Amino acid sequence: MNASSILTFSTSFALVTLSLGLLLTVLRILRGPSLPDRVLGLDMLVAIAIGFIAVIAIRSGFNLYIDIAIALSLVGFLATVAFARFILARGLSPEMEKGQESLPKPKRDKPARRRHKGAR
């Protein structure tokens, strides 16, 4: 067994494994019960795409693919941060609110009114 056959076997195995991970991640996105699950699935899709690009770069020997993978990772990071801010700004998801219905809502006291200097 020489080095080129080991490299061919390794990259083929990596592509098959990444394809399986891609399939399972797409199923998770489609089936995800809540928005954070779907956002996490999209983040995982970006990571799998970076893995595909890296394996193709190794297999083809074309090093420009590594730069593309780095750019994709930066865009994926920014997208994840944007989705996280969106989820935080949105508040509780509808799935979480269903479980919170039985809890009483806290009462808010009104602040005391201040009298003006001229008022009696």
Side-chain angles (χ1 to χ4, degrees), residues 17-53:
T17 306
L18 286 168
S19 298
L20 180 65
L22 181 78
L23 177 69
L24 292 174
T25 303
V26 168
L27 288 175
R28 184 76 228 161
I29 289 172
L30 295 175
R31 193 172 163 235
S34 66
L35 180 64
D37 290 331
R38 290 186 170 103
V39 169
L40 189 62
L42 288 173
D43 191 37
M44 190 66 204
L45 275 181
V46 171
I48 291 172
I50 292 168
F52 270 118
I53 292 170

Side-chain angles (χ1 to χ4, degrees), residues 1-12 58-59:
M1 209 177 219
N2 57 8
S4 66
S5 63
I6 292 173
L7 184 64
T8 303
F9 174 75
S10 298
T11 55
S12 298
I58 291 170
R59 185 173 246 194

